[in-house]
Amino acid sequence: MSDAGRTRLAAGAVFLLGAAGRSAFLAWRGPALNLDSEKYLALGHNLVAHGTLSLDTAAPFALSIRFPPLYPVFIGMLSGLGFTSVYAVAMVQALLGAFTGVLVFLLARSMVPLKWASAVGVMYALHPGAVASTSTILAESLFTALLVAAVWVLSVSVRTDRLRLTAVGALLLGLAMLCRPLVLMWPFVFCGVVLLGRARRAFAHGLVLLVVTALAIAPWSMRASRVAGHLALQDPVVVAGLFCVASHWDWEQTLFNWVAFRTHPQRSSAAGLFREGVRSIRASPGRYLASRVRAVPYLFISSFDVFTGIYQSYNRLWAGRDWLRLSIKLGLLSAFSLVPLALAMLGLLASRANTTSMLCASVWLYMLLFFLPLWVEPRYWLPAVPFLLVTGGVGANAISTRSLLTFPACAPGAPR
């Protein structure tokens, strides 16, 4: 079988594995809902029934910018196609997650031999956090798919010097922004990566990326800014609240009650929340920094209790001699958190000579830096997981070929 044939076969296997795992998890646990899920469903319902993105339950259905628009549009489109139940939405997300695994495999395959690319694809297909997230009615699945697709298309466009593909990648990135505005700075980050990678017509690729991304988000930005009274893609109270909560070093953040926080006297004002956060940090900067050191690792290191349903601590399982569940937690922690992270750190050394690898590394590094001063929740890290795994695949290949410090622009056997 030709190399292209083996690549297609591996891609198909990654998709089937990802779809089967996500479908089985959905059948086992059912779709998951939280307070934000209910808001997304309400927005989608009002979009279909009343033609507006509103959280109101009665006229006049005022426009809401509490949540970015694309995921409610996604729910509304599925409803229009007859997928009206939350189970149907979760099933579509499961297939979307499986397709994302294929794109992760293709990103890795553009840099490393088939065996390592296949390993990366399988890791994402089976990743407990990624599997569980597709069953939850939240924007992570759609956001992650769009972001991975954008990076994959941009990597191909730069490698083949095709400006039209850069425009497609920029459009996908703009759509990702309409799921999660936290990627607002990524067009500039990606432009920097392209320029540092010295791609052919790097300036032209960067310009197309910035212009098309801006055009993609302009209609919603103008509408949201008109409602907010200032430039906005989303209500800034969201990020300000995450900052305010994280600034209180004396609060138990792993058990923090967000329902109670909704009654906070300052929560209606982003400026008020931000000022309170700054005051809290100034009052005890040392303790704040210590709390960040303790909290931030929970962003990217996990034993995936949401997936397993094992919510007991390691100490409690050890004291109770529950060796099976303790082994499950430790196994998932090692296989899907610690090992990929260690390989990705090594992969950073090998990423400097390859634009695609630099693009992938820039995503998870940006996510890490972005959430350093904010409330930590493992699901916020899930969109970074595909890129961390790809960088980990680069690291694993560099170790196996003993080329950690001399990684070639394209690994032997990988398509150019």
Side-chain angles (χ1 to χ4, degrees):
M1 184 182 295
S2 67
D3 182 73
R6 289 193 297 272
T7 297
R8 286 193 293 268
L9 183 62
V14 167
F15 177 83
L16 292 176
L17 185 61
R22 285 159 174 76
S23 300
F25 183 83
L26 178 60
W28 173 40
R29 298 281 288 271
L33 298 171
N34 64 16
L35 291 174
D36 284 351
S37 304
E38 295 171 1
K39 302 297 185 183
Y40 279 125
L41 291 170
L43 289 166
H45 169 76
N46 283 337
L47 181 62
V48 173
H50 307 290
T52 185
L53 287 167
S54 176
L55 290 170
D56 295 343
T57 57
F61 299 104
L63 177 68
S64 170
I65 60 170
R66 170 66 177 79
F67 296 90
L70 195 62
Y71 189 62
V73 170
F74 173 74
I75 292 175
M77 290 176 60
L78 292 179
S79 178
L81 294 172
F83 299 99
T84 55
S85 70
V86 292
Y87 192 97
V89 174
M91 190 66 236
V92 173
Q93 290 183 169
L95 296 176
L96 192 61
F99 176 69
T100 303
V102 175
L103 295 178
V104 172
F105 163 77
L106 293 176
L107 270 172
R109 184 68 184 106
S110 68
M111 295 178 287
V112 300
L114 182 60
K115 64 176 182 178
W116 291 118
S118 299
V120 170
V122 168
M123 284 289 289
Y124 188 75
L126 299 178
H127 191 278
V131 169
S133 71
T134 59
S135 295
T136 306
I137 308 302
L138 290 172
E140 270 75 20
S141 294
L142 180 61
F143 174 66
T144 303
L146 287 169
L147 185 57
V148 174
V151 173
W152 177 65
V153 172
L154 288 173
S155 71
V156 174
S157 72
V158 171
R159 192 165 61 247
T160 59
D161 191 23
R162 296 161 67 183
L163 290 175
R164 290 183 180 180
L165 275 183
T166 298
V168 174
L171 176 61
L172 290 168
L173 186 59
L175 292 175
M177 288 183 185
L178 296 177
C179 276
R180 282 287 192 83
L182 66 88
V183 299
L184 190 61
M185 295 303 297
W186 275 347
F188 301 98
V189 173
F190 290 164
C191 284
V193 170
V194 171
L195 291 172
L196 288 174
R198 299 179 181 178
R200 293 189 297 273
R201 295 196 293 174
F203 181 81
H205 284 284
L207 183 62
V208 170
L209 176 59
L210 293 176
V211 170
V212 175
T213 304
L215 291 175
I217 66 174
W220 172 255
S221 180
M222 289 187 290
R223 194 177 185 194
S225 299
R226 189 160 55 246
V227 173
H230 53 78
L231 183 63
L233 281 178
Q234 184 185 358
D235 189 349
V237 167
V238 178
V239 174
L242 295 175
F243 172 71
C244 180
V245 173
S247 71
H248 286 274
W249 56 267
D250 53 327
W251 293 356
E252 178 52 67
Q253 297 192 29
T254 57
L255 301 174
F256 188 73
N257 188 345
W258 279 99
V259 176
F261 182 70
R262 293 176 187 277
T263 65
H264 194 285
Q266 298 286 353
R267 78 168 295 271
S268 61
S269 166
L273 288 170
F274 183 77
R275 284 194 297 269
E276 180 179 332
V278 172
R279 282 197 299 270
S280 178
I281 294 171
R282 285 178 174 174
S284 186
R287 289 181 175 178
Y288 166 73
L289 291 174
S291 73
R292 292 288 83 204
V293 171
R294 291 193 303 269
V296 167
Y298 290 102
L299 176 66
F300 51 87
I301 298 177
S302 173
S303 56
F304 308 102
D305 293 352
V306 173
F307 175 80
T308 62
I310 304 173
Y311 291 100
Q312 292 92 335
S313 68
Y314 296 104
N315 289 336
R316 185 174 178 181
L317 292 173
W318 178 273
R321 296 176 182 259
D322 193 342
W323 309 126
L324 176 60
R325 290 196 287 181
L326 180 61
S327 298
I328 291 172
K329 283 175 69 81
L330 289 173
L332 293 179
L333 174 72
S334 300
F336 291 98
S337 281
L338 299 181
V339 172
L341 181 63
L343 289 174
M345 291 299 181
L346 293 174
L348 284 176
L349 298 175
S351 294
R352 70 193 189 284
N354 186 283
T355 301
T356 299
S357 189
M358 289 171 64
L359 285 171
C360 292
S362 70
V363 173
W364 62 268
L365 287 173
Y366 177 99
M367 296 283 265
L368 178 60
L369 293 173
F370 182 84
F371 281 104
L372 276 177
L374 302 181
W375 163 265
V376 164
E377 191 170 326
R379 73 180 178 93
Y380 297 152
W381 182 250
L382 291 175
V385 166
F387 307 99
L388 183 79
L389 293 177
V390 172
T391 309
V394 171
N397 178 67
I399 292 172
S400 69
T401 57
R402 299 182 181 180
S403 58
L404 191 59
L405 299 177
T406 57
F407 186 68
C410 190
R416 293 185 178 271

